[in-house]
Amino acid sequence: MALIGVAPAARPVIAALGVTQIIGYGALYYAYAVLTPAMATDFNVTEPTLFAIFSIGLLLGGFTAPAFGRRIDRHGAARVMSAGSAAVAAALVALAHAPDIVTFALLVVLIEIISFAVLYDAAFATLALHAPRNTRAAITLLTLIAGFASTLFWPLTGWLAEDMGWRGTYLIFAGLTLGLALPLHLWIARRPLPDPAAIAAHPAQTEVQYQRLSGPEARRAFWLMGVGFAISGMVISAVTIHMVPILLARGMGETAFLIAMMMGPAQVLIRVVDATLWRNLHPVAVAMVSAGAMPLAVLALLLPGPPVLTGLCFAILMGTGGGLASIVRGAVPVALFGTEGLGQQLGRLAAIRNLMGAAAPFAFALSTTRIGPGPTLWLVVALGLTGLAVMAILWRKVSRAQAWPATG
């Protein structure tokens, strides 16, 4: 099993990062849509306005991601994550006390800019250092743990908001960031990195290695990868942040939250499949499965049938696509280009992803109000199929370049 191949010294690091990713994605991403109605009422603005603010944050985060990536390569990912955790905690406290919509908007944008330093991209760069010969397996194990973020934080945010309001909820999340995420990142930063000599002495513990791309082929593959990831990211961003409202609009009623929670277990299950049955499958092939699952998920929701059944198919397929998307974000660059300069590579990919996908949450909300949920979901299906086509082109180029497991 691929997970067993992760070096024992790296497993505590993976577990610690799993906790910080649950907190990070739960507090900075999944909570926003649940709290939007209350925040809109408090500031007397429309919900699409709040999603537009979120989108601006994603856009500006795209411009700054490469700079964060360079700092990760220069200073170490765990140190950057530590500084990011402190900054996020302070920003969340300020957000909870925002007196007006302008201050609120500036803080949301600031949090989205900082988020690169504390979420998956920085975590994957950390794993490349602490599990250099088993990076894909380490990424899979991390995403297995972090896959519970939505399952935990959607209901948790709803319960906290009901008892404490949206401001109190963000204060709780600031406490979790400061009291758990920051100490864990500081602890990782103090841990020694693996000894290269010890790694070389145990080649049997090394996972499948792939031939690296270089020159023009590498540049073309990078842009195809970036655009493909960005399009899939647009679908994930638009759908997951609106998941509960989508299910409510499709007639799920009180079961909407329960159905949405199935996305988490689906993410975990597909990651187990990737870690076992697909552990020697090229990451680009896994990326194609991810890209294909998302339009199928939305299509399932549009088909006639019992609302609960179609909703479950939607959540499971969406969890499948999203669960694999998190893995391939880190595994594909490592397979095609190696781990040297990984922080900058991930920063550039995040820039493409954010610049293309920044408007997705706002565009989805606006389209839903203008043309209705049904036609909007059909547009999402078409977008998802476009992403699948781009990944298929990348797979064809990778195959021609013979980026297959190295022999000897």
Side-chain angles (χ1 to χ4, degrees):
M1 184 174 176
L3 299 183
I4 297 175
V6 176
R11 293 173 192 170
V13 174
I14 296 168
L17 287 173
V19 174
T20 70
Q21 295 308 289
I22 288 174
I23 294 170
Y25 275 99
L28 305 183
Y29 190 82
Y30 293 114
Y32 194 87
V34 178
L35 298 175
T36 290
M39 295 186 298
T41 300
D42 194 358
F43 291 119
N44 194 29
V45 297
T46 64
E47 292 184 26
T49 298
L50 294 182
F51 286 114
I53 293 169
F54 192 84
S55 295
I56 292 170
L58 291 175
L59 179 65
L60 294 179
F63 285 112
T64 58
F68 277 111
R70 288 191 294 272
R71 281 166 176 76
I72 284 173
D73 289 333
R74 186 178 304 127
H75 303 296
R79 291 181 180 178
V80 173
M81 295 187 84
S82 300
S85 294
V88 164
L92 287 174
V93 171
L95 189 71
H97 293 91
D100 52 55
I101 188 62
V102 174
T103 305
F104 174 88
L106 291 174
L107 288 167
V108 168
V109 169
L110 176 63
I111 288 170
E112 290 307 308
I113 290 173
I114 300 169
S115 66
F116 179 88
V118 297
L119 296 179
Y120 269 153
D121 293 301
F124 293 161
T126 302
L127 293 180
L129 295 175
H130 287 271
R133 303 306 297 271
N134 307 98
T135 305
R136 177 178 175 179
I139 288 172
T140 301
L141 183 52
L142 172 62
T143 57
L144 272 168
I145 301 169
F148 288 101
S150 60
T151 303
L152 293 173
F153 268 78
W154 268 327
L156 175 63
T157 302
W159 295 332
L160 288 174
E162 196 171 318
D163 289 340
M164 307 179 63
W166 72 268
R167 295 178 185 272
T169 300
Y170 273 129
L171 284 176
I172 294 293
F173 293 163
L176 288 174
T177 303
L178 192 63
L180 277 178
L182 175 58
L184 288 171
H185 289 151
L186 289 170
W187 173 77
I188 295 170
R190 290 193 296 267
R191 283 182 65 85
L193 296 176
D195 181 6
I199 294 172
H202 297 87
Q205 296 180 359
T206 299
E207 64 192 7
V208 172
Q209 301 296 302
Y210 296 92
Q211 296 177 16
R212 312 304 188 200
L213 298 181
S214 60
E217 283 294 334
R219 288 191 290 274
R220 284 191 287 268
F222 178 85
W223 282 105
L224 284 169
M225 176 178 59
V227 172
F229 285 174
I231 294 174
S232 295
M234 291 171 70
V235 175
I236 295 172
S237 179
V239 172
T240 55
I241 202 167
H242 293 286
M243 191 167 190
V244 173
I246 288 172
L247 293 172
L248 290 171
R250 304 306 290 179
M252 308 299 166
E254 295 179 355
T255 62
F257 276 100
L258 292 175
I259 291 173
M261 288 171 62
M262 291 302 298
M263 182 176 167
Q267 287 178 330
V268 172
L269 180 60
I270 197 61
R271 287 164 181 167
V272 171
V273 172
D274 179 74
T276 54
L277 300 179
W278 296 351
R279 63 183 180 271
N280 292 328
L281 191 63
H282 198 290
V284 176
V286 178
M288 286 184 60
V289 176
S290 172
M294 287 178 281
L296 283 178
V298 181
L299 186 61
L301 199 62
L302 290 165
L303 294 176
V308 173
L309 179 60
T310 57
L312 284 173
C313 290
F314 164 71
I316 291 170
L317 284 168
M318 201 69 207
T320 297
L324 292 175
S326 300
I327 295 172
V328 299
R329 252 171 68 180
V332 172
V334 170
L336 297 185
F337 311 115
T339 58
E340 185 176 352
L342 183 61
Q344 184 169 357
Q345 291 271 28
L346 292 175
R348 291 170 62 199
L349 288 173
I352 299 171
R353 188 172 64 245
N354 286 11
L355 292 175
M356 287 184 61
F362 171 69
F364 187 95
L366 183 63
S367 177
T368 299
T369 59
R370 293 289 178 85
I371 65 175
T376 299
L377 291 176
W378 279 112
L379 291 176
V380 173
V381 171
L383 184 65
L385 291 174
T386 303
L388 175 60
V390 173
M391 295 310 299
I393 295 171
L394 174 61
W395 175 240
R396 185 181 179 189
K397 287 189 175 295
V398 167
S399 300
R400 284 182 173 178
Q402 296 183 337
W404 300 95
T407 58

